[in-house]
Amino acid sequence: MRSDAVKTGMQQAPHRSLFNALGLTKEELSKPLVGIVSSYNEIVPGHMNLDKIVEAVKLGVAMAGGTPIVFPAIAVCDGIAMGHIGMKYSLVTRDLIADSTEAMAMAHQFDALVMVPNCDKNVPGLLMAAARINVPTVFVSGGPMLAGRVHGQKRSLSSMFEAVGSYSAGTMTEEEVEEFENKVCPTCGSCSGMYTANSMNCLTEVLGMGLKGNGTIPAVYSERIKLAKHAGMQVMEMYRQNIRPRDIMTKDAILNALTVDMALGCSTNSMLHLPAIAHEIGWDFDITFANQISEKTPNLCHLAPAGPTYIEDLNEAGGVYAVMNELAKKDLLNLDCITVTGKTVGENIKGCVNRNPEVIRPIDNPYSQTGGLAVLTGNLAPDGGVVKKSAVCEEMMVHEGPARVFDCEEDAIAAIKGGKIVHGDVVVIRYEGPKGGPGMREMLNPTSAIAGMGLGSSVALITDGRFSGASRGASIGHISPEAAVGGPIALVEEGDLIRINIPENKLELAVSEEELAKRKEKWQPREPKVTTGYLARYAAMVTSGNRGAVLEVPKR
């Protein structure tokens, strides 16, 4: 056992004395030590139930012959952090989570791990850690929130942000906004649409790192508790079979995840996190490669914010495995990849039928013949930008308009809510990238304001920052290179014509090469917005959005 390094032999007598201080018995120390990485806290709605999930996991581990030991991982609520300095601290926690979990697991020599995440950055952060540590590991998330209901219609957090925009436009009263406020988030769990948390929990299933239902069983269902017990049991079976994360999270498994990502219409943030996970297994890929996957993968789901269905509906329709089964009918997945079950993807999804063709379109009747995400390139984004095209209305798939340029999110929001943005405009928000932010803030407030003010079908938004999974419309993020390193987005001037062609994966600035060269000569780097603390260290080490904003040690 790996844990023998801390519990067996005379040299480990001091270690055993500390285990005695924890109240562990000889019988417990004779078994494999299983670390339960708990993201429980009392500030994130998706995490408030994780204490119950953790207790269920512990029972499962103990029943299957292991000794469970809990340690924590942090998590930020992106919704609460949205629209202020707190959002600078969201993406950056992904690497803190990976680093701290690696440190805890290696320092204490656990034999196996069960990861219990739920919201946004701690799912990919723990997947990155799992690849690094490479001991038998299974994931069980806290599950999605049930959709809210307002006037008989299902609603979610994106509806709430858009309601604020509607209030600014004078189309909703304060009382109506308050009704949304009290009803759109009715239970614990990760927000109920195909936002980042649910995207990554679903893709964890596809990667083979979670059991069936990990991404879709609602947080409040007792079935989620049973899933957690089975996860605890399964990690012990993985231990016995010596199945490890790098056996599961292979290049083929990540290609499967990219494919299902396209079919589900996941958050654009998956195009930050999948490259970061791939980086941990030694595979760095150019995000434009995703277009090759998109070209052959039909989009089968229009979950909120792209459509009127929610994660609870996906669960009832058969879940992630039903989507994978549809894709398998056209040989779009590698079915031989091993998973935490000890079985292959093909064995896992066999017999998982689509129970609702309105929620999961059959493979022969998709929403579109191509996937839900696209990477756009051109002279404005030589290294790419990402758009959730399944959430873009038909009128905005091809668009050109004058640039309205802002050097931070706050200025853009003030202009939108102040009525200074009009039909046809292209809002450009820059110096919000991984280095420039620093931290690559999400832009849910401006996208929601645009939608709430009735401009969603006529105004585009382009940024070197990123978007919440709750954003919809012609919102193009991750523009690379970013403004802070002198990317072309830093050279855009007020009124420049910008051309967007999503079907052709193009993003162009209608300015001559000669003029751009002149502007580049005059451009000067900005003083860093943050010069102390973790954000300053992060800015010094982070790469661009097209590489997943992974951290690299600066070359000397």
Side-chain angles (χ1 to χ4, degrees), residues 9-90:
M10 184 53 65
Q11 291 298 317
Q12 280 66 43
H15 305 68
R16 289 194 297 274
S17 72
L18 295 168
F19 283 118
N20 286 333
L22 291 168
L24 292 178
T25 65
K26 286 184 178 180
E27 291 81 3
E28 287 172 303
L29 290 178
S30 70
K31 300 174 182 178
L33 301 185
V34 180
I36 315 297
V37 186
S38 171
S39 299
Y40 170 76
N41 62 50
E42 295 183 341
I43 189 64
V44 184
H47 291 221
M48 62 181 283
N49 66 321
L50 294 191
D51 54 343
K52 295 176 177 59
I53 301 295
V54 167
E55 287 304 313
V57 170
K58 289 173 67 178
L59 279 171
V61 168
M63 285 191 288
T67 297
I69 300 174
V70 179
F71 65 88
I74 65 168
V76 163
C77 176
D78 277 25
I80 295 173
M82 194 72 66
H84 55 88
I85 191 173
M87 183 44 66
K88 293 180 184 290
Y89 285 89
S90 171

Side-chain angles (χ1 to χ4, degrees), residues 402-405 430 488-498 509 511 515 519 522:
R404 304 299 308 279
V405 184
R430 60 192 181 188
I489 191 172
L491 310 179
V492 180
E493 294 182 358
E494 186 80 8
D496 285 348
L497 189 67
I498 292 176
L509 180 65
V511 174
E515 175 60 21
R519 294 182 189 181
K522 297 177 182 177

Side-chain angles (χ1 to χ4, degrees), residues 374-391:
V375 178
L376 311 186
T377 55
N379 68 346
L380 186 51
D383 294 335
V386 182
V387 63
K388 186 172 182 174
K389 64 180 182 179
S390 61

Side-chain angles (χ1 to χ4, degrees), residues 39 47 74-75 97 116-127 139:
S39 299
H47 291 221
I74 65 168
I97 290 160
V116 187
N118 210 24
C119 294
D120 291 30
K121 308 311 166 300
N122 68 335
V123 183
L126 291 177
L127 285 165
F139 278 65

